[in-house]
Amino acid sequence: MTKKIRVLLVDDHMLVLDGLQARLELEDNIDIIATASNGLEALEKAHESKPDLILMDVSMPVLNGLEATKRFKAELPSIKILMLSMHHDKEYILSLIQSGANGYILKDVSSEELVQAINTVYQGGTYFSSGASDSLFSPTIEPKRYEELTKREVAVLKEVAIGLSNKEIAQSLSISVRTVETHRQNLKNKLDIHTSAGLIKYALEHQLID
């Protein structure tokens, strides 16, 4: 008899949990051993039940999916983690991969694809639904955008990339905090990057910082 995949479901919406459980329990090789409504509860139940795989939402109260993934990889590294989310932002997905997630699927996938993702990740592979893959492997930046930055914007970008606050950047460049905020907004608009992590990655890719 084929060993069943022991799965822990994690989502803060009860209807979603019920729907996922009802669908996955139709599969002969999947066993839903527990459910949880946030990352902290998931950690507690994982320590108790030792699942093979965790199917987990990203946006949750108490402990979100990103922080929970970091904790799982530190405390229970053998457990596979498959993220389920509505978010398809590239930086969002990258941060989860870097934290140890084994796959990322969007909530618009079919139930058949969900089952395929669970099987793939359980067997040691990685899985990204088409929407997540499109975001993940699309070019982050058009080359011409760097040329659109002013010298002052590049200077602010370098300071942002090394982790300085707006106040520290203002002091370093001898400009006002309001001016720093304006430059940061211009950077986000010109580069189409809307997170600090994204700006840091861009600075690294363009060798503006070591």
Side-chain angles (χ1 to χ4, degrees):
M1 183 175 180
T2 304
K3 179 182 181 295
K4 287 193 173 186
I5 306 171
R6 293 163 48 81
V7 177
L8 167 61
L9 297 178
V10 191
D11 197 294
D12 60 325
H13 294 97
M14 186 57 68
L15 280 175
V16 175
L17 271 182
D18 289 346
L20 286 171
Q21 183 167 3
R23 172 60 184 87
L24 293 175
E25 284 181 341
L26 297 176
E27 299 297 314
D28 293 337
N29 69 323
I30 294 176
D31 183 16
I32 307 302
I33 60 170
T35 63
S37 59
N38 61 68
L40 189 59
E41 183 184 5
L43 274 165
E44 294 171 354
K45 291 195 173 182
H47 276 286
E48 294 172 0
S49 57
K50 299 295 190 298
D52 299 311
L53 181 146
I54 297 171
L55 179 62
M56 180 164 56
D57 189 16
V58 177
S59 301
M60 298 183 295
V62 186
L63 190 68
N64 64 38
L66 176 60
E67 295 305 317
T69 297
K70 293 177 182 176
R71 292 275 301 273
F72 276 117
K73 288 305 173 181
E75 299 174 24
L76 298 162
S78 65
I79 296 177
K80 308 293 185 182
I81 299 178
L82 178 60
M83 305 306 300
L84 181 63
S85 177
M86 294 184 297
H87 302 287
H88 53 78
D89 179 77
K90 181 174 182 176
E91 301 304 325
Y92 212 73
I93 301 173
L94 280 172
S95 63
L96 281 156
I97 296 171
Q98 290 164 354
S99 297
N102 304 100
Y104 192 104
I105 56 177
L106 299 179
K107 288 188 174 181
D108 62 359
V109 301
S110 66
S111 59
E112 289 76 15
E113 185 172 358
L114 172 60
V115 171
Q116 180 184 353
I118 290 172
N119 282 298
T120 299
V121 168
Y122 171 69
Q123 291 165 9
T126 56
Y127 194 98
F128 301 96
S129 62
S130 58
S133 295
D134 291 344
S135 297
L136 189 59
F137 299 111
S138 64
T140 304
I141 280 301
E142 296 173 11
K144 66 178 183 180
R145 287 182 177 156
Y146 180 76
E147 299 171 3
E148 296 175 3
L149 302 182
T150 66
K151 289 183 178 180
R152 181 63 80 185
E153 287 167 350
V154 172
V156 170
L157 176 57
K158 289 179 179 179
E159 304 285 67
V160 170
I162 61 175
L164 297 186
S165 66
N166 286 353
K167 183 177 180 180
E168 290 169 329
I169 295 171
Q171 293 172 343
S172 173
L173 300 179
S174 299
I175 56 179
S176 69
V177 173
R178 179 65 62 84
T179 301
V180 174
E181 292 171 350
T182 299
H183 285 315
R184 288 187 73 146
Q185 190 58 50
N186 288 340
L187 284 166
K188 290 178 179 179
N189 292 338
K190 288 183 178 181
L191 302 177
D192 193 24
I193 298 174
H194 303 285
T195 64
S196 295
L199 290 174
I200 293 171
K201 183 173 182 289
Y202 179 84
L204 286 167
E205 288 176 345
H206 289 77
Q207 300 180 338
L208 299 180
I209 57 174
D210 295 329

